[in-house]
């Protein structure tokens, strides 16, 4: 089991970024600055094209990251180069099964992850028939897993997510593509949060449609341990790059806004 996630303020804060957007030398400064601000977790994605769950903001980010040469090897090297300097921030590697893992055996991928100081792994798009193999192989290598479920997932899926989470459970607030939302009523998630809490010691993070401090506060009121900020953070990076501003300042300012009382 990894050191516990989200042990500070409630709710904690996780951010999603693509490795390589901003470019890795700048991203290093971002990571160190977020650590200084005691952001709890960075979901760092190995970029992949044409994600079926992502909207245009994250897709453009992945395109920029791929153009900057980011891939699994460079992402893992990046984590290895910065992890020893972090005092609070944890890094979860997000990888797409079809683009990053499928060409090789699952064991190969998890061996690579286990060899670096990654705090957890979240595998996107994994076929259900491979979940048991994934969970068992990750446990064998002591790689903490982020599991996922939805508020309308079948009870057995919620139970599996609760049982198999080694890092945290990511409760995806709704179906759809990232960066697009209608009015989000996070109170609808209260029952799922309670069901997960009854059966899992792992922290519960809620994401998808989380954009501002009011959303973060609403997630905290549900009893969840953390909020996950995805497209809204990537938007700050994109704006900074487009306007030739500093992505570090853009993201630290955003983190401060999200955690302000």
């Amino acid at each position: 089991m990894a050191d516990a996630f989200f042990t500070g303020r409630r709710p904690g804060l996780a951010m999603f970024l693509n490795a390589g957007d901003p470019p890795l030398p700048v991203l290093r400064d971002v990571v160190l600055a977020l650590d200084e601000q005691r952001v709890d977790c960075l979901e760092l994605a190995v970029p992949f094209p044409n994600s079926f769950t992502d909207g245009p903001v994250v897709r453009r980010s992945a395109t920029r990251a791929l153009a900057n040469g980011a891939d699994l090897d460079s992402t893992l090297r990046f984590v290895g180069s910065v992890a020893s300097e972090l005092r609070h921030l944890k890094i979860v590697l997000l990888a797409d099964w079809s683009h990053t893992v499928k060409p090789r055996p699952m064991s190969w991928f998890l061996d690579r992850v286990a060899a670096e100081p990654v705090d957890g792994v979240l595998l996107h798009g994994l076929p259900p028939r491979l979940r048991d193999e994934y969970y068992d192989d990750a446990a064998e290598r002591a790689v903490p897993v982020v599991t996922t479920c939805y508020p309308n997932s079948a009870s057995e899926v919620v139970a599996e997510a609760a049982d198999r989470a080694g890092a945290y459970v990511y409760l995806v607030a709704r179906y759809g593509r990232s960066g697009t939302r209608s009015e989000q009523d996070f109170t609808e998630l209260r029952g799922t949060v309670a069901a997960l809490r009854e059966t899992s010691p792992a922290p519960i993070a809620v994401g998808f449609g989380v954009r501002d401090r009011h959303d973060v506060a609403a997630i905290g009121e549900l009893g969840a341990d953390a909020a996950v900020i995805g497209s809204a953070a990537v938007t700050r990076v994109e704006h900074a790059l487009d306007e030739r501003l500093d992505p570090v300042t853009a993201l630290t300012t955003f983190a401060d806004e999200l955690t302000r009382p």
Side-chain angles (χ1 to χ4, degrees), residues 53-58 174 176-181 208-209 211 230-232 235:
T53 59
D54 288 318
V57 170
V58 174
R174 62 175 177 82
R177 287 188 170 181
S178 64
T180 60
R181 80 167 191 183
F208 218 93
R211 294 184 176 180
S231 295
T235 296

Side-chain angles (χ1 to χ4, degrees), residues 127-144:
R129 62 184 172 80
L130 297 178
R131 284 205 295 255
D132 283 343
E133 175 191 353
Y134 166 55
Y135 294 143
D136 292 343
D137 284 356
E140 182 180 322
R141 292 161 176 79
V143 174

Side-chain angles (χ1 to χ4, degrees), residues 52-205:
F52 63 90
T53 59
D54 288 318
V57 170
V58 174
R59 286 189 176 204
R60 289 195 299 269
S61 171
T63 297
R64 291 191 297 270
L66 290 166
N68 286 331
D71 57 13
L72 178 63
D73 288 343
S74 62
T75 302
L76 288 173
R77 284 197 304 270
F78 172 81
V79 175
S81 73
V82 74
S84 65
E85 299 181 48
L86 302 179
R87 294 177 295 174
H88 180 77
L89 183 77
K90 295 183 182 299
I91 299 179
V92 164
L93 185 81
L94 189 156
D96 180 66
W97 180 76
S98 293
H99 183 263
T100 304
V101 182
K102 184 180 178 180
R104 299 179 177 91
M106 182 77 72
S107 57
W108 175 90
F109 168 72
L110 289 170
D111 282 342
R112 296 295 314 281
V113 173
E116 298 293 347
V118 173
D119 295 297
V121 64
L122 197 170
L123 201 48
H124 173 271
L126 179 69
R129 62 184 172 80
L130 297 178
R131 284 205 295 255
D132 283 343
E133 175 191 353
Y134 166 55
Y135 294 143
D136 292 343
D137 284 356
E140 182 180 322
R141 292 161 176 79
V143 174
V145 167
V146 177
T147 58
T148 60
C149 63
Y150 292 81
N152 58 349
S153 292
S155 59
E156 59 267 25
V157 174
V158 175
E160 180 183 89
D163 180 58
R164 293 290 204 159
Y168 55 91
V169 181
Y170 185 172
L171 175 56
V172 184
R174 62 175 177 82
Y175 286 102
R177 287 188 170 181
S178 64
T180 60
R181 80 167 191 183
S182 54
E183 287 303 312
Q184 181 75 53
D185 183 5
F186 291 105
T187 61
E188 297 174 353
L189 307 177
R190 193 177 301 277
T192 309
V193 171
L196 289 166
R197 184 72 72 205
E198 286 179 1
T199 56
S200 177
I204 302 163

Side-chain angles (χ1 to χ4, degrees), residues 214-238:
H214 302 292
D215 292 337
V216 172
I219 287 168
E221 290 170 4
L222 295 176
D225 297 285
V228 183
I229 313 293
S231 295
V234 175
T235 296
R236 298 295 179 112
V237 172
E238 183 171 64

